Amino acid sequence: MLSRLNLAVRPCIYMCRCVHTKEKGKPLMLSPRTNKGMAFTLEERQILGLHGLLPPKIESQDIQAMRFKKNLEKIPDPLAKYVYVMGMQERNEKLFYRVLLDNIEELLPIVYTPTVGLACLQYGHIFRRPKGVFISIMDKGHVRSILDNWPDADVKAVVVTDGERILGLGDLGVYGMGIPVGKLCLYTTCAGIDPRSCLPVCIDVGTDNETLLKDPFYMGLYQKRDRSHRYDELIDEFMEAITDKYGRNTLIQFEDFGNHNAFRFLRKYRDKYCTFNDDIQGTASVALAGLLSAQRVINKPITENRYLFLGAGEAALGIADLIVMAMKSVGMPEEEAQRKIWMFDKYGLLCEGRSEPIESHQAAYVHPAPDQITKTFLDAVNLVRPTAIIGVAGAGRLFTKEVISAMGHINDRPIIFALSNPTAKAECTAEDAYTLTEGRCLFASGSPFSPVTLPDGRVFQPGQGNNAYIFPGVALAVMLVEARNISSQVFLEAAEALAEQVTSDELAQGCLYPPLSNIRKVSISIAVKVAEFLYSNGMAFEYPEPKFKEEYFLSKVWKTDYESFLPDVYDWPESVTKLPNL
């Protein structure tokens, strides 16, 4: 074969130092990390045992991306699109991320909310190839040996779930693995983090979902959730095993744990490990960024707003705590800031003396019982007269026409955030919010909505308060400066950095967030501001401190361009390196 080597190889012999691979032949094409499909050059095909295993045409990645996109456009069903797109990740990693980054506005709703929710519901039915590490309660005492089976040794970021509270869909057990996989896709797409440094993990301790326990395709333990001390011991063992194997500064992101465990683990681990909870802190940061953008429109600081939450779980409390931190940063006392925030859960307003339970982490937002009876959220709106309502209950369309109309009557520019995911769980639609307030509201949602055109011809582009704006940039900064802890202040810095990216023209169109097409630039900007905070507060361990942080982060970005797998000249046989001059 070498005797028939195309003469075009000669320049490569003397000019190119290339990426090495131990694989040859068909195994090279079967690995998503090394597969380039028909983009393998003639020289690579001949040297690496691929000649004849591919059609003779040599394609560019541009052509491959065009084919991928064209085939995707033929698929009408979102779940089928998800299967097709994630199937490409299993076959050709570089091409997958190239297409995802080039078409982020279109494909983010497929690989992330809302379609990832459908994928989790059907996880056992659409299963193709396992991704990540599955650790069950039966593995207690052996977590480290399971991690040793993961092939990538240089893991820097872990996203973990126990599947108890997947989006607004409830307990999906091991089917929740779709969330860590999706989140880490966004680590790479939005912030350019090397996928080889990312590890998705699902902790399986059973499920209380009766439907899944009767599902023959369910892939987890057929048992009720273990809520005993064994569960805590397993999580402790997991945290210790991760940092023991990968290092003290390994980032561990918690996703979709039940409310009680989410707050418990955040308090328990935040000072001991490099960890954060995206449902609490990431959601808070992106919501605060939307409020900071809104204050530029209404010329009213966040200290002058009154906030009413629909929901009092981890998302609501995370947002409320960060709003309080933001108000404290401009001089307002903490207790005064807390008095501006009300919460309404399935039992009604959080008020003193109510018979229903109030968790300890909700105590800061419990108000004296009002004289007026508030049975419904509309009653609460009329009582509190908020300037902003924020929906994070995952209970569906509870921002009714009456509620939205009341907000429009109370405020010249009402703030309406319907942040629950997926789309079916959103508190209202963008169309209702804009129409019922005659275009005066400042609206954001957790899942995407199409632009809204009012009868007078005005067009509004709804902003999506998507956590993808926050956690990839935060992760990039934390990983590259080797922080060992993540303070809540980090998420205030990230929120301010995100709000700064919104232009005046975008605000005029009703959008409180920058376009998703700029997500890589936004993530880098957030990473720079977070890194500056970490260095200035002695929380960074990578020295010397980069002087030009943006250039530094850009230099570390993982590239989607194909690499050459031709052996280095010094590894080639002498018969190849000494080809005769012709």
Side-chain angles (χ1 to χ4, degrees), residues 473-491:
V474 169
L476 179 65
V478 167
M479 292 167 64
L480 291 185
V481 308
E482 298 191 2
R484 296 184 179 181
N485 299 101
I486 306 174
S487 72
S488 296
Q489 182 72 28
V490 161
F491 294 95

Side-chain angles (χ1 to χ4, degrees), residues 303 325-334 336:
T303 53
M325 182 180 290
M327 289 194 282
K328 286 174 60 181
S329 71
V330 293
M332 178 172 279
E334 182 175 43
E336 184 179 348

